[in-house]
Amino acid sequence: MKDFLPEDHDYYTFIKKVVRHRCRQSGIKRISTPIVERVEVFLRGIGDTTDVVEKEMYIFKDKGDRQIALRPEFTAGVIRAYIEHGLFNQPQPIQLYSLGPVFRYGRPQQGRLRQFNQFNVEIIGEQNPILDADLINLGWQIYHDLGLGENLRVEINTIGDLDSRSTYLENLRNFYAGKERSLCPYCLRRLEKNPLRLLDCKNEDCQILAGLAPKIEDGLNEVSREHFAKVKSYLD
C-alpha cells in the first residue's frame, strides 16, 4: 500500500471528474458501499473458488468474533445493497457506479498494489443487449477522455445465458475427466465447484489444457447467439 501525495491527487482528481461526467451523461447514479463487509457477502457473490477469495482477500475477525473482509471488488457489495434496500421495487433497470479503494493480498509487483482504486458500473434488473453495448461504449468514452484512446482496442466475449452456461459447464467437466493428474491443487477444487475458473489459471500445465478445452461459443443456445449478435450490431 502507498501514500497518495498531493501530486498523485492531481491525476486521481482528473480521472474521477472524467468518470463522474460520463456517468451523469448516461444517467448512472453513484452508490458507495462499506470498505468492510461480512466475508459471506464475497463468498456468495464472487465464489469461494476464485483467486480473489482463495488467495487475495484480507479476512480477519472483529471484536465481536465475526469474520469480516476488506472489500476486494465492488459487485458483491452493490448487489447486497440492491437487495437489502429494496432497489428492485424501483423502476428497472437500476444503473449504479462506484469509485474508491479496494484491497487484495496479491503479490506486490510493478504497477500492482494491495490497495488500489477501482471504477465499477452495474446495470441490474433488465436483460437488454443495448445495455451491454452502452456499458462497453461508456468504457471506450472514458478512456478517450483520459487521452488513452489511441492505444486502445476493444475485445468482447460472451458467456451466454444460464442455460448456455449449464451446457458449457457440463462440456468442460467431460473434457477434464481423466485429466485430473495434470491439474494444480486449486484447479482440482474448481473442477467440482466452478469449472469456468479452470480457464484462467496461471499454472503452465493448466493453461495448456485450457487451450484445448471446448469453446463456449460452440455451446451457445439461440437466445444467447441472438443477444450477442445484437450487442455487436449496436456497437457497430
Side-chain angles (χ1 to χ4, degrees), residues 4-13:
F4 257 66
L5 301 177
E7 55 266 31
D8 298 320
H9 276 283
D10 291 341
Y11 294 100
Y12 186 49
T13 300

Side-chain angles (χ1 to χ4, degrees), residues 26-171:
S26 301
I28 304 171
K29 297 181 178 180
R30 186 169 183 176
I31 184 172
S32 297
T33 58
I35 288 177
V36 172
E37 295 257 18
R38 289 177 293 109
V39 72
E40 292 84 8
V41 170
F42 302 112
L43 291 178
R44 289 199 301 263
I46 307 174
D48 60 0
T49 56
T50 63
D51 281 353
V52 172
V53 171
E54 286 183 332
K55 304 176 184 178
E56 299 179 1
M57 278 215 304
Y58 278 92
I59 301 174
F60 51 94
K61 288 188 177 182
D62 66 5
K63 292 184 179 181
D65 204 35
R66 291 166 291 216
Q67 285 274 93
I68 59 176
L70 294 178
R71 177 175 67 198
E73 55 92 57
F74 280 106
T75 297
V78 171
I79 299 302
R80 190 241 343 122
Y82 173 85
I83 296 169
E84 192 171 301
H85 298 286
L87 298 183
F88 46 81
N89 292 315
Q90 299 181 13
Q92 304 294 301
I94 298 290
Q95 302 186 77
L96 304 166
Y97 82 93
S98 304
L99 186 68
V102 293
F103 303 82
R104 294 191 185 181
Y105 198 84
R107 182 170 60 87
Q109 53 190 287
Q110 182 68 32
R112 181 173 180 175
L113 302 173
R114 288 174 173 170
Q115 176 182 335
F116 54 97
N117 290 289
Q118 193 173 82
F119 164 56
N120 180 77
V121 180
E122 307 289 346
I123 299 182
I124 313 167
E126 185 176 329
Q127 295 185 24
N128 189 322
I130 203 166
L131 296 176
D132 294 345
D134 275 343
L135 268 187
I136 295 168
N137 182 60
L138 175 67
W140 173 263
Q141 295 290 349
I142 287 172
Y143 276 114
H144 273 265
D145 291 346
L146 293 173
L148 303 172
E150 296 302 317
N151 303 312
L152 182 68
R153 181 179 69 189
V154 176
E155 297 184 0
I156 63 173
N157 194 10
T158 180
I159 56 173
D161 61 12
L162 287 174
D163 288 339
S164 294
R165 265 172 275 169
S166 296
T167 300
Y168 184 57
L169 291 177
E170 190 61 31
N171 291 340

Side-chain angles (χ1 to χ4, degrees), residues 143-206:
Y143 276 114
H144 273 265
D145 291 346
L146 293 173
L148 303 172
E150 296 302 317
N151 303 312
L152 182 68
R153 181 179 69 189
V154 176
E155 297 184 0
I156 63 173
N157 194 10
T158 180
I159 56 173
D161 61 12
L162 287 174
D163 288 339
S164 294
R165 265 172 275 169
S166 296
T167 300
Y168 184 57
L169 291 177
E170 190 61 31
N171 291 340
L172 278 181
R173 289 191 178 100
N174 291 336
F175 170 78
Y176 280 99
K179 302 180 179 69
E180 291 85 355
R181 293 180 62 182
S182 300
L183 296 175
C184 72
Y186 287 113
C187 283
L188 283 174
R189 289 185 56 222
R190 293 166 179 155
L191 182 58
E192 291 302 316
K193 291 193 171 185
N194 188 0
L196 281 177
R197 305 307 304 182
L198 294 164
L199 303 178
D200 58 10
C201 180
K202 304 303 186 292
N203 179 280
E204 186 176 351
D205 289 339
C206 296

